[in-house]
Amino acid sequence: MSKRRLTRRHLLTSTTFTLLGGLAGCIEVPVDESVSAPSEPTSKSSGNTPSTPTETWTEPATPNQPTEEKEEDRINDVDFVNKKKSSGGYVDFDLQVGANTWMEDVDPPEDEAGEPYFAVTINDTLVARTDVVPFRKEGSFPIPIKRAALDRFDAGTLEVRVLLFDEDSHSDDLYDTWSGTIEYAPAN
């Protein structure tokens, strides 16, 4: 995440709370800067009709190439979560990754801190990529796998790989890889 975005977010948050505080008779509202701004809704509705988000998927950006391998033991575990069972396997799932993303001094002196992120491949096809994740020595990170991304695969055993990268301007550094399988049975 760039410093420009953090500054803009902080400015917008501070301005909003200041304006609201002034309008409400100078009520003091504490600002928790560790909380991310809410994401925009995936669909809009009018009236009292509940909105139903339409899932879309676009292929994620590939890591900057060529990738430099700096393999370390950083991914502790990966669990398949939010699984939806169907006959012969699962029709849907997400991932929960336990990993050390602490990258304080991994880049050259002009950059210093790393920008850790995860990428997920299924059967060697990139299906998900997270934004830069926070530094955590023992972190737990959810990675949603969109159903639209799974629709491209046939029923059977899927080879799932989770890769932990440090994002760099020329070539991303690969710090760890986890591999596993899951039985997939697409919806009819």
Side-chain angles (χ1 to χ4, degrees):
M1 187 173 285
S2 70
K3 290 180 182 178
R4 171 186 266 171
R5 274 196 220 155
L6 287 176
T7 303
R8 189 177 312 146
R9 180 178 293 151
H10 180 266
L11 179 62
L12 287 172
T13 303
S14 297
T15 304
T16 302
F17 281 125
T18 302
L19 180 61
L20 290 174
L23 293 174
C26 298
I27 297 172
E28 185 174 330
V29 179
V31 176
D32 184 1
E33 294 180 13
S34 66
V35 176
S36 298
S39 60
E40 293 184 22
T42 54
S43 67
K44 296 180 182 178
S45 64
S46 60
N48 293 331
T49 309
S51 65
T52 306
T54 303
E55 184 180 76
T56 59
W57 176 77
T58 54
E59 191 170 334
T62 58
N64 291 326
Q65 301 292 329
T67 300
E68 292 184 32
E69 294 190 23
K70 298 183 175 182
E71 291 285 332
E72 297 179 1
D73 291 327
R74 287 180 171 260
I75 298 176
N76 304 320
D77 58 50
V78 176
D79 294 316
F80 292 96
V81 296
N82 303 326
K83 299 181 284 189
K84 293 183 183 152
K85 187 101 170 133
S86 71
S87 61
Y90 295 96
V91 68
D92 205 1
F93 60 88
D94 294 320
L95 300 172
Q96 189 71 35
V97 179
N100 174 355
T101 58
W102 194 268
M103 296 187 181
E104 190 65 41
D105 294 313
V106 298
D107 286 336
E110 62 273 6
D111 292 333
E112 294 179 16
E115 298 88 16
Y117 72 91
F118 294 99
V120 177
T121 64
I122 296 178
N123 294 351
D124 296 321
T125 300
L126 185 64
V127 296
R129 177 178 170 159
T130 67
D131 290 331
V132 172
V133 297
F135 286 6
R136 301 281 187 267
K137 290 191 178 180
E138 293 183 27
S140 183
F141 305 94
I143 304 177
I145 306 298
K146 293 202 175 207
R147 188 168 214 179
L150 294 174
D151 287 344
R152 65 185 348 180
F153 301 104
D154 294 327
T157 303
L158 299 181
E159 299 285 334
V160 180
R161 289 181 66 211
V162 177
L163 304 101
L164 173 59
F165 285 99
D166 167 35
E167 185 176 59
D168 289 329
S169 57
H170 298 298
S171 62
D172 291 354
D173 303 325
L174 176 63
Y175 275 89
D176 203 2
T177 302
W178 174 91
S179 296
T181 60
I182 190 167
E183 289 303 313
Y184 175 63
N188 295 332

